[in-house]
Coordinates of all heavy atoms in Angstrom, one line a residue:
S67 N -13.9 17.2 7.0 CA -14.8 17.3 7.9 C -15.5 16.0 8.3 O -15.9 15.3 7.2 CB -15.9 18.3 7.4 OG -17.1 18.3 8.3
V68 N -15.5 15.6 9.5 CA -15.9 14.3 9.8 C -17.0 14.4 10.8 O -16.9 15.1 11.8 CB -14.8 13.5 10.6 CG1 -15.2 12.1 10.9 CG2 -13.5 13.5 9.5
P69 N -18.2 13.7 10.5 CA -19.3 13.8 11.5 C -18.9 13.3 12.8 O -18.1 12.3 13.0 CB -20.4 12.9 10.9 CG -20.0 12.9 9.4 CD -18.5 13.0 9.4
K70 N -19.5 13.8 13.9 CA -19.3 13.4 15.2 C -19.4 11.8 15.3 O -20.4 11.3 14.9 CB -20.1 14.0 16.2 CG -19.6 14.0 17.7 CD -20.5 15.1 18.5 CE -19.9 15.1 19.9 NZ -20.7 16.0 20.7
G71 N -18.5 11.2 16.0 CA -18.6 9.7 16.3 C -18.0 8.9 15.2 O -18.0 7.7 15.2
R72 N -17.7 9.5 14.0 CA -17.1 8.8 12.9 C -15.6 8.8 12.9 O -15.1 9.8 13.4 CB -17.7 9.2 11.6 CG -19.2 8.9 11.5 CD -19.7 9.3 10.0 NE -19.1 8.5 9.0 CZ -19.4 7.3 8.6 NH1 -20.5 6.7 9.2 NH2 -18.8 6.7 7.7
S73 N -15.0 7.9 12.2 CA -13.6 8.1 12.0 C -13.2 7.7 10.7 O -14.0 7.1 9.9 CB -12.7 7.1 13.0 OG -13.1 5.9 12.7
F74 N -12.0 8.1 10.2 CA -11.5 7.7 8.9 C -10.0 7.7 8.9 O -9.3 8.2 9.6 CB -12.0 8.6 7.8 CG -11.3 10.1 7.9 CD1 -10.3 10.3 7.0 CD2 -11.7 11.0 8.8 CE1 -9.7 11.6 7.0 CE2 -11.2 12.3 8.8 CZ -10.1 12.6 7.9
P75 N -9.5 6.7 7.9 CA -8.0 6.6 7.9 C -7.4 7.9 7.1 O -7.9 8.4 6.2 CB -7.8 5.4 7.0 CG -9.0 5.3 6.2 CD -10.1 6.0 7.0
M76 N -6.3 8.4 7.7 CA -5.7 9.5 7.1 C -4.2 9.4 7.1 O -3.6 9.0 8.1 CB -6.0 10.8 7.9 CG -5.5 12.0 7.3 SD -6.5 12.4 5.8 CE -5.4 13.8 5.1
A77 N -3.5 9.6 5.9 CA -2.1 9.5 5.8 C -1.6 10.5 4.9 O -1.2 10.2 3.8 CB -1.7 8.0 5.5
V78 N -1.7 11.7 5.3 CA -1.1 12.9 4.6 C -0.3 13.6 5.6 O -0.8 14.3 6.4 CB -2.1 13.8 3.9 CG1 -1.5 14.9 3.2 CG2 -3.1 13.0 2.9
Y79 N 1.0 13.5 5.5 CA 2.0 13.9 6.6 C 2.5 15.2 6.3 O 3.1 15.9 7.1 CB 3.1 13.0 6.9 CG 2.5 11.6 7.3 CD1 2.4 10.5 6.4 CD2 2.2 11.3 8.6 CE1 1.9 9.3 6.8 CE2 1.8 10.0 9.0 CZ 1.6 9.1 8.1 OH 1.1 7.8 8.5
T80 N 2.6 15.6 5.0 CA 3.4 16.8 4.6 C 2.6 18.0 4.2 O 1.6 17.8 3.3 CB 4.3 16.4 3.5 OG1 5.3 15.4 3.9 CG2 5.2 17.5 2.9
D81 N 2.9 19.1 4.7 CA 2.2 20.4 4.1 C 2.7 20.7 2.8 O 4.0 20.7 2.6 CB 2.5 21.4 5.1 CG 1.9 21.4 6.5 OD1 0.8 20.8 6.5 OD2 2.5 21.8 7.5
V82 N 1.8 20.9 1.9 CA 2.2 21.4 0.6 C 1.5 22.8 0.3 O 0.4 22.8 0.0 CB 1.8 20.4 -0.6 CG1 2.3 20.9 -2.0 CG2 2.5 19.0 -0.3
S83 N 2.2 23.8 0.4 CA 1.7 25.1 0.2 C 1.4 25.4 -1.3 O 2.0 24.7 -2.1 CB 2.7 26.2 0.7 OG 3.8 26.4 -0.1
P84 N 0.5 26.3 -1.6 CA 0.3 26.6 -3.0 C 1.5 27.1 -3.7 O 1.8 26.6 -4.9 CB -0.8 27.7 -2.9 CG -1.5 27.4 -1.7 CD -0.5 26.9 -0.7
A85 N 2.4 27.8 -3.0 CA 3.6 28.3 -3.7 C 4.5 27.2 -4.0 O 5.2 27.0 -5.1 CB 4.3 29.3 -2.8
A86 N 4.6 26.1 -3.0 CA 5.6 25.1 -3.2 C 5.0 24.2 -4.3 O 5.8 23.6 -5.2 CB 5.6 24.3 -2.0
L87 N 3.7 24.0 -4.5 CA 3.1 23.1 -5.5 C 3.3 23.8 -6.9 O 3.8 23.0 -7.8 CB 1.6 22.9 -5.2 CG 1.0 22.1 -6.3 CD1 1.5 20.6 -6.3 CD2 -0.5 22.1 -6.0
Q88 N 3.2 25.0 -6.9 CA 3.4 25.8 -8.1 C 4.9 25.7 -8.7 O 5.2 25.4 -9.7 CB 2.9 27.2 -8.2 CG 3.1 28.0 -9.5 CD 2.2 27.5 -10.5 OE1 1.0 27.8 -10.4 NE2 2.7 26.8 -11.6
G89 N 5.7 25.8 -7.7 CA 7.1 25.7 -7.9 C 7.6 24.4 -8.4 O 8.3 24.2 -9.3
F90 N 7.0 23.4 -7.8 CA 7.3 22.0 -8.2 C 6.8 21.7 -9.6 O 7.5 21.2 -10.4 CB 6.6 21.1 -7.1 CG 6.8 19.6 -7.4 CD1 8.0 18.9 -7.2 CD2 5.7 18.9 -7.9 CE1 8.2 17.5 -7.5 CE2 5.8 17.5 -8.3 CZ 7.1 16.8 -8.0
L91 N 5.6 22.2 -9.9 CA 5.1 21.9 -11.2 C 5.6 22.7 -12.3 O 5.5 22.4 -13.5 CB 3.5 22.1 -11.2 CG 2.7 21.1 -10.3 CD1 1.2 21.3 -10.5 CD2 3.0 19.7 -10.8
D92 N 6.4 23.8 -11.9 CA 7.1 24.5 -12.9 C 8.2 23.6 -13.7 O 8.5 24.0 -14.7 CB 7.7 25.7 -12.3 CG 6.8 26.9 -12.1 OD1 5.7 26.8 -12.6 OD2 7.1 27.8 -11.3
G93 N 8.5 22.6 -13.0 CA 9.5 21.7 -13.5 C 8.9 20.6 -14.4 O 9.7 19.8 -14.8
Y94 N 7.7 20.7 -14.6 CA 7.0 19.7 -15.5 C 6.2 20.3 -16.6 O 5.8 21.5 -16.5 CB 6.0 18.7 -14.6 CG 6.6 17.9 -13.6 CD1 7.1 18.4 -12.4 CD2 6.9 16.5 -13.9 CE1 7.7 17.5 -11.5 CE2 7.4 15.7 -13.0 CZ 7.9 16.2 -11.8 OH 8.5 15.3 -10.8
A95 N 5.9 19.6 -17.5 CA 5.0 20.2 -18.7 C 3.6 19.5 -18.6 O 3.2 18.9 -19.5 CB 5.7 19.8 -20.0
I96 N 3.0 19.6 -17.5 CA 1.7 19.0 -17.3 C 0.6 20.0 -16.8 O -0.5 19.6 -16.6 CB 1.8 17.9 -16.2 CG1 2.3 18.3 -14.8 CG2 2.7 16.6 -16.6 CD1 2.1 17.3 -13.8
G97 N 0.9 21.2 -17.0 CA 0.0 22.3 -16.7 C 0.1 22.9 -15.4 O 0.8 22.5 -14.6
D98 N -0.8 23.9 -15.1 CA -0.9 24.5 -13.8 C -1.8 23.7 -12.9 O -2.8 23.1 -13.3 CB -1.3 25.9 -14.0 CG -0.3 26.8 -14.7 OD1 0.9 26.6 -14.5 OD2 -0.6 27.6 -15.6
P99 N -1.6 23.8 -11.6 CA -2.4 23.2 -10.6 C -3.8 23.8 -10.5 O -4.0 24.9 -10.5 CB -1.7 23.4 -9.2 CG -0.8 24.5 -9.4 CD -0.5 24.7 -10.8
V100 N -4.7 22.9 -10.4 CA -6.2 23.2 -10.3 C -6.7 22.7 -8.9 O -7.4 23.5 -8.1 CB -7.1 22.6 -11.3 CG1 -8.5 22.9 -11.1 CG2 -6.6 23.2 -12.7
R101 N -6.5 21.4 -8.6 CA -6.9 20.8 -7.3 C -5.8 20.0 -6.8 O -5.2 19.3 -7.5 CB -8.2 20.1 -7.4 CG -9.4 20.9 -7.8 CD -10.6 20.0 -7.9 NE -11.8 20.6 -8.2 CZ -12.9 20.1 -8.9 NH1 -12.8 18.8 -9.2 NH2 -13.9 20.7 -9.2
L102 N -5.7 19.8 -5.5 CA -4.8 18.9 -4.8 C -5.6 18.2 -3.6 O -6.1 19.0 -2.7 CB -3.6 19.6 -4.2 CG -2.5 18.6 -3.7 CD1 -1.9 17.8 -4.9 CD2 -1.4 19.3 -3.0
T103 N -6.0 17.0 -3.7 CA -6.9 16.4 -2.7 C -6.0 15.2 -2.2 O -5.5 14.3 -2.7 CB -8.1 15.8 -3.6 OG1 -8.7 16.7 -4.3 CG2 -9.0 15.2 -2.5
G104 N -6.0 15.2 -0.8 CA -5.3 14.2 -0.1 C -6.0 12.9 -0.2 O -7.2 12.8 -0.1
I105 N -5.2 11.9 -0.3 CA -5.9 10.5 -0.4 C -5.9 9.9 1.0 O -4.9 9.7 1.7 CB -5.0 9.5 -1.4 CG1 -5.1 10.1 -2.8 CG2 -5.5 8.2 -1.4 CD1 -4.1 9.5 -3.8
L106 N -7.2 9.6 1.5 CA -7.2 9.3 2.9 C -7.1 7.8 3.1 O -8.0 7.2 3.6 CB -8.7 9.7 3.3 CG -9.0 11.2 3.1 CD1 -10.4 11.5 3.6 CD2 -7.9 12.2 3.7
Q107 N -6.0 7.3 2.8 CA -5.7 6.0 3.2 C -4.2 5.7 3.0 O -3.5 6.3 2.2 CB -6.4 4.9 2.4 CG -6.4 3.5 3.0 CD -7.5 2.6 2.3 OE1 -8.2 3.1 1.3 NE2 -7.5 1.4 2.6
G108 N -3.7 4.8 3.7 CA -2.2 4.5 3.7 C -1.6 5.1 4.9 O -1.9 5.9 5.5
I109 N -0.3 4.5 5.3 CA 0.4 4.9 6.3 C 1.9 5.1 6.1 O 2.6 5.6 7.1 CB 0.4 3.8 7.5 CG1 0.9 2.5 7.1 CG2 -1.1 3.7 8.0 CD1 1.0 1.4 8.1
E110 N 2.3 5.0 4.8 CA 3.8 5.2 4.7 C 4.1 6.5 4.1 O 5.1 7.2 4.4 CB 4.1 4.0 3.6 CG 4.0 2.7 4.1 CD 4.8 2.5 5.4 OE1 5.9 3.0 5.5 OE2 4.5 1.6 6.2
N111 N 3.4 7.0 2.9 CA 3.8 8.2 2.3 C 2.5 9.1 2.2 O 1.5 8.7 2.4 CB 4.2 7.8 0.8 CG 5.5 7.0 0.8 OD1 6.5 7.2 1.5 ND2 5.4 5.9 0.1
S112 N 2.7 10.4 1.8 CA 1.7 11.3 1.6 C 1.3 11.3 0.1 O 2.2 11.5 -0.7 CB 2.1 12.7 2.0 OG 2.4 12.8 3.4
N113 N 0.0 11.0 -0.2 CA -0.4 10.8 -1.5 C -1.6 11.8 -1.8 O -2.5 12.1 -1.0 CB -0.9 9.4 -1.8 CG 0.3 8.4 -1.8 OD1 1.1 8.5 -2.6 ND2 0.2 7.5 -0.7
F114 N -1.5 12.5 -3.0 CA -2.6 13.4 -3.3 C -3.0 13.1 -4.8 O -2.3 12.8 -5.6 CB -2.0 14.8 -3.3 CG -1.3 15.2 -2.0 CD1 0.0 15.0 -1.8 CD2 -2.1 15.9 -1.1 CE1 0.6 15.3 -0.6 CE2 -1.5 16.3 0.2 CZ -0.2 16.0 0.4
I115 N -4.3 13.3 -5.0 CA -4.8 13.4 -6.4 C -4.5 14.8 -6.8 O -5.1 15.7 -6.3 CB -6.3 13.1 -6.4 CG1 -6.6 11.6 -6.1 CG2 -6.8 13.2 -7.9 CD1 -8.0 11.2 -6.1
L116 N -3.6 15.0 -7.9 CA -3.3 16.2 -8.4 C -4.1 16.5 -9.7 O -3.9 15.7 -10.7 CB -1.9 16.3 -8.6 CG -1.3 17.4 -9.5 CD1 -1.4 18.7 -8.7 CD2 0.3 17.2 -9.7
E117 N -4.9 17.5 -9.8 CA -5.5 17.9 -11.0 C -4.9 19.2 -11.6 O -4.7 20.2 -10.8 CB -7.0 18.0 -10.8 CG -7.7 16.8 -10.4 CD -9.2 16.9 -10.1 OE1 -10.0 17.3 -11.2 OE2 -9.6 16.8 -8.9
T118 N -4.5 19.1 -12.8 CA -3.9 20.3 -13.5 C -4.7 20.6 -14.6 O -5.7 20.0 -15.1 CB -2.5 20.1 -13.8 OG1 -2.4 19.2 -14.9 CG2 -1.6 19.3 -12.6
T119 N -4.3 21.8 -15.3 CA -4.9 22.1 -16.5 C -4.6 21.2 -17.6 O -5.2 21.2 -18.7 CB -4.4 23.6 -17.0 OG1 -3.0 23.6 -16.9 CG2 -5.0 24.6 -15.9
G120 N -3.6 20.2 -17.4 CA -3.3 19.2 -18.4 C -3.8 17.8 -18.2 O -3.7 16.9 -18.9
G121 N -4.4 17.6 -17.0 CA -5.0 16.3 -16.7 C -5.0 16.0 -15.2 O -4.7 16.8 -14.3
K122 N -5.2 14.7 -14.9 CA -5.3 14.3 -13.6 C -4.0 13.3 -13.3 O -3.7 12.3 -14.1 CB -6.6 13.5 -13.2 CG -6.7 13.0 -11.8 CD -8.0 12.3 -11.6 CE -9.3 13.1 -11.8 NZ -10.5 12.4 -11.4
Y123 N -3.4 13.4 -12.0 CA -2.2 12.7 -11.7 C -2.3 12.3 -10.2 O -3.2 12.7 -9.6 CB -0.9 13.5 -12.1 CG -0.9 14.0 -13.5 CD1 -1.4 15.2 -13.9 CD2 -0.2 13.2 -14.5 CE1 -1.3 15.7 -15.1 CE2 -0.2 13.7 -15.7 CZ -0.8 14.9 -16.1 OH -0.6 15.3 -17.4
V124 N -1.2 11.5 -9.8 CA -1.1 11.3 -8.4 C 0.2 11.9 -8.0 O 1.2 11.7 -8.7 CB -1.2 9.8 -8.0 CG1 -0.8 9.6 -6.6 CG2 -2.7 9.3 -8.2
L125 N 0.2 12.6 -6.9 CA 1.5 13.2 -6.4 C 1.9 12.5 -5.1 O 1.0 12.4 -4.2 CB 1.4 14.7 -6.1 CG 2.5 15.3 -5.3 CD1 3.8 15.3 -6.0 CD2 2.1 16.7 -4.7
T126 N 3.1 11.9 -5.1 CA 3.4 11.2 -3.9 C 4.6 11.9 -3.3 O 5.6 12.2 -4.0 CB 3.8 9.7 -4.2 OG1 2.7 9.0 -4.6 CG2 4.4 9.0 -3.0
V127 N 4.5 12.2 -2.0 CA 5.6 12.8 -1.2 C 6.2 11.7 -0.3 O 5.4 11.1 0.5 CB 5.2 14.0 -0.4 CG1 6.4 14.6 0.4 CG2 4.6 15.0 -1.3

Side-chain angles (χ1 to χ4, degrees):
S67 177
V68 184
K70 195 170 188 177
R72 292 183 64 83
S73 63
F74 72 99
M76 183 73 191
V78 179
Y79 300 96
T80 296
D81 293 326
V82 179
S83 71
L87 181 61
Q88 182 68 73
F90 178 77
L91 290 182
D92 283 344
Y94 291 81
I96 59 174
D98 292 321
V100 174
R101 293 177 183 161
L102 190 68
T103 308
I105 296 174
L106 305 185
Q107 195 165 1
I109 60 173
E110 296 298 329
N111 300 309
S112 296
N113 294 289
F114 305 87
I115 296 175
L116 169 65
E117 296 179 65
T118 75
T119 53
K122 184 183 288 188
Y123 305 89
V124 172
L125 168 66
T126 295
V127 181

